[in-house]
Amino acid sequence: MSCGLWFLSVLSAFVALWEESGCEAMTLNSVLHPASGGRGAVGGGVHQRRRRSWVWNQFFVLEEYTGDEPLYVGKLHSDLDKGDGQVRYVLSGEGALSIFTIDENTGDIHATKRLDRELQAFYTLRAQARDKNTNLPLEPESKFIIKVQDINDNQPKFLDGPYTAQVAERSPVGTSVVTVVATDADDPTYGNSARLVYSILQGPPYFSVEPKTGVVRTALAELDREVRDHFLLVIQAKDMIGQMGGLTGTTSVTVTLTDVNDNPPRFPRRSYQFRVPESALVSAVVAKIKALDPDLGLNAEMDYRILEGDGLGTFRIITDPNTQEGLLTLQKTLDFETRPIFSLRVEASNRYVDAGFLPPGAFSDVVTVRLLVENVDEPPVFSSAGGQMQISEAVPTGTDVGSVSARDPDAKNSPVRYSIDRKSDVERYFTIDSISGVITTARSLDRETIAMHNLTVLATETLNVSQVGKAVVLVSVTDVNDNAPSFAIEYQTFVCEDASAGQIIETLSAVDQDQPENGHHFLFSLSAEHAGNFTLRDNKDNTASILTAPGFVRRDQPVHFLPVVISDGGRPSLSSTNTLTVTVCSCEVTGDRRACSQTLARPLVTGLSTTTGILTSIITLLEPNIIQKNKCYQNHQNIIQTYTKQKGTVDLQIAPERLLTPVPS
């Protein structure tokens, strides 16, 4: 078989291989088959259609060539080229002339620059054989590829590194911690340049890495955070399947051990002793203890409790949430003279227990706490911190109200002196005997003025006057019936002159400053001699109604003064006479007032009280006939009143002849 004209591609690092005689067996080359009919004349004659004569394979060129001379890539040759210099070879496409050049006479292709496969893996070019004289193409233009052959010129890189990871302490061997991933820019389809193997350079014997996957795993089961909580691993990735000459890249992995509850609380001492002054206040913190737990967070939280001891009701222990200390607080007041020493057994235990590491009973510890009560000089103590006494408002001055008692609780038992804090008794209603503590009245009492006296009684040690005890004594003043009832309000009553009989014109109510135990029971009445045109009806509910009687008209008497007697029903019963002024008016049909007479007289006496059966009062009301037409009168009240509250009697003196004095017209 004859080869005819041929094209040879030569890899810069290889020679063309001929496995058999004949062009078909050539590797890395292209063969140009002979044309069917010679070259043909240029110019005359009929052009015959020629079939395409070039069959192309890929050209290969090594990347990163560093030689001084241009790198030979391959050779183009046409079977129309007779070697007479009439054929010119032309190259175009990617990198033509700038990277790749062609000898137009020989068809030799060279690379003039260093190539990098990772920047561009192949170049697509076009080749053509032309007649050197006419520049006409001898063959159709054809494409071919120059592929950049990879070499191992890129080391593996960990794009996500450095890594941080966490794993629980005491995790089983083989627990996955993190997966590291390296990449290699070399061609993964050619050779082993991009085939990586992982290894751990720093981290054994605690951790390991899977060679193919990059999974980092624990290699020891007893990783203890309390011993060491951080590890810095160095992981290597090597290409060429880890073989000698392969390129490497490394990354770091910081592994933090997270905490598990694998440590119980422990007291650093087996017993504690504290001193507590007996003056310590209830709820005060009197001692602090702390069990140590090297765990963190919830795993280190603990509860304290008093298991046994002689201070179970006197002391209480709670946990400080910030410091995890046990705070012993006082529940009852201390007394050195009664009990000078307390002993407690206190337990500290983890709040959250993980039975996977230790049995439940191992997560606690017990310690003995002794509390020594210190004696202090205490102020006198009253037998009762506060008391309540009662006294009638009717008792005379100097009456005993009650007594208080205090003592010095210290061993020296100093005598005490009593006094009243005058800030609590500014008006000095009471005195106290400094020796006996008996409280007596110093002036008259009035329940309606002060119903409750709040006294502060002081007890002072005679041997140390700075030690003062205090007690509050409430003196309640009980009521006696010493106030007569009276109208609840000042009434302004009118009645129509044509009012029908039995019409209610006013409803009366009363007030009394006294406070009887069973409530008020007022009785109302109207003097018969002053009833006249009105009647009174006691409603039996502490009110009374005033009703009209028939036969009165405005011209007869324009103003009526009704003396209403109100009694309280107490023991002794007190009463008062209260004057109700009723004005007669001319009214509309609807009952609205149209015209009313002017009031010529005012109530002369109100609020007169007397013991039942003894009422001395003189009330003189002027007869209507003294009112003369077209005359004005001025009311002159010349009342000489002597009101003496003595043994339930009231004396009232009035000069009736001076009540009203006519004024000349």
Side-chain angles (χ1 to χ4, degrees), residues 3 6-9 16-20 22-31 57:
C3 290
W6 52 274
F7 160 71
L8 178 64
S9 171
L17 302 178
W18 294 80
E19 295 181 353
E20 296 179 1
C23 297
E24 291 84 359
M26 292 173 56
T27 61
L28 303 179
N29 63 41
S30 297
V31 178
N57 289 326

Side-chain angles (χ1 to χ4, degrees), residues 39-150:
R39 183 173 179 183
V42 178
V46 179
H47 292 283
Q48 294 181 341
R49 178 177 178 85
R50 301 177 183 271
R51 66 177 177 84
R52 181 171 171 171
S53 303
W54 295 357
V55 179
W56 304 98
N57 289 326
Q58 293 183 98
F59 292 158
F60 292 87
V61 60
L62 285 176
E63 66 172 334
E64 304 296 346
Y65 172 71
T66 59
D68 296 332
E69 299 295 330
L71 179 63
Y72 182 71
V73 178
K75 184 180 182 66
L76 294 179
H77 192 78
S78 173
D79 59 357
L80 298 179
D81 187 355
K82 304 301 183 180
D84 54 5
Q86 296 302 309
V87 177
R88 183 170 70 89
Y89 296 96
V90 179
L91 188 66
S92 63
E94 290 181 310
L97 302 180
S98 61
I99 299 177
F100 303 101
T101 62
I102 189 170
D103 188 318
E104 65 177 11
N105 296 316
T106 65
D108 292 334
I109 300 174
H110 290 81
T112 61
K113 294 183 179 180
R114 193 166 88 177
L115 303 178
D116 187 352
R117 188 201 66 83
E118 286 69 43
L119 295 179
Q120 187 164 346
F122 62 90
Y123 296 85
T124 301
L125 295 99
R126 295 181 297 277
Q128 193 172 46
R130 290 177 175 270
D131 187 291
K132 184 178 288 187
N133 295 321
T134 64
N135 199 34
L136 294 176
L138 301 177
E139 297 289 342
E141 185 180 69
S142 296
K143 292 182 180 180
F144 67 96
I145 294 175
I146 297 178
K147 185 173 183 181
V148 182
Q149 190 71 40
D150 183 49

Side-chain angles (χ1 to χ4, degrees), residues 502-522:
Q503 179 179 333
I504 297 176
I505 63 171
E506 191 67 83
T507 299
L508 306 176
S509 60
V511 292
D512 192 330
Q513 295 183 41
D514 295 323
Q515 289 185 348
E517 293 182 0
N518 298 324
H520 293 291
H521 299 283
F522 298 128

